[in-house]
Amino acid sequence: MKKFTKNDQGFVCQNCGQTIPPLKTTSRDHCTVCLCSLHVDIHPGDRQNTCCGLLKPIGIEISTKKGYLIIYRCEKCGEKRKNRSAPDDSMEKIIEISVQQK
Ligand SMILES: [Zn+2]
Ligand SMILES: [Zn+2]
């Protein structure tokens, strides 16, 4: 079973309303402005999760291999997940979240 489905489409952020263009290199899975995402995947890109809650960034983890990892918690079901940040993510927002992190 393939666990990664490339699903690179632009979308409108449900949190801030920003239109996010497709990312060429990998699946676009979160907003570049507020970094929010939607709980729609069970495995990255599969869009098989029926939760569809808003994933809010609650922390930042720095990985030497992968760069910034954004830690999310789903507002609806409370599940936590991590996503890699995209190259065009708002650096200010990343810093803001990492400062607020406890
Ligand atoms: Zn947004
Ligand atoms: Zn959820």
Side-chain angles (χ1 to χ4, degrees):
M1 258 240 299
K2 235 177 110 186
K3 288 199 171 168
F4 191 90
T5 316
K6 193 166 180 336
N7 195 334
D8 191 17
Q9 290 160 357
F11 67 96
V12 176
C13 175
Q14 305 231 347
N15 186 56
C16 70
Q18 183 80 25
T19 304
I20 311 302
L23 184 70
K24 299 275 174 337
T25 49
T26 179
S27 293
R28 174 75 83 191
D29 53 22
H30 59 270
C31 175
T32 56
V33 181
C34 68
L35 308 183
C36 283
S37 187
L38 282 180
H39 200 192
V40 289
D41 296 342
I42 295 172
H43 302 296
D46 67 6
R47 304 294 190 264
Q48 292 301 303
N49 201 319
T50 51
C51 172
C52 298
L54 187 68
L55 289 173
K56 284 211 155 177
I58 55 161
I60 300 292
E61 209 174 273
I62 299 165
S63 154
T64 43
K65 281 186 190 142
K66 295 178 183 169
Y68 293 102
L69 293 171
I70 307 164
I71 307 161
Y72 289 100
R73 190 172 55 223
C74 177
E75 277 203 321
K76 205 166 155 189
C77 72
E79 193 184 298
K80 281 189 188 174
R81 58 188 303 144
K82 287 176 195 169
N83 274 335
R84 275 175 75 163
S85 72
D88 55 354
D89 280 350
S90 161
M91 203 59 208
E92 280 168 34
K93 194 76 193 170
I94 289 177
I95 292 163
E96 192 186 308
I97 295 160
S98 65
V99 167
Q100 285 168 359
Q101 186 174 353
K102 287 180 191 112

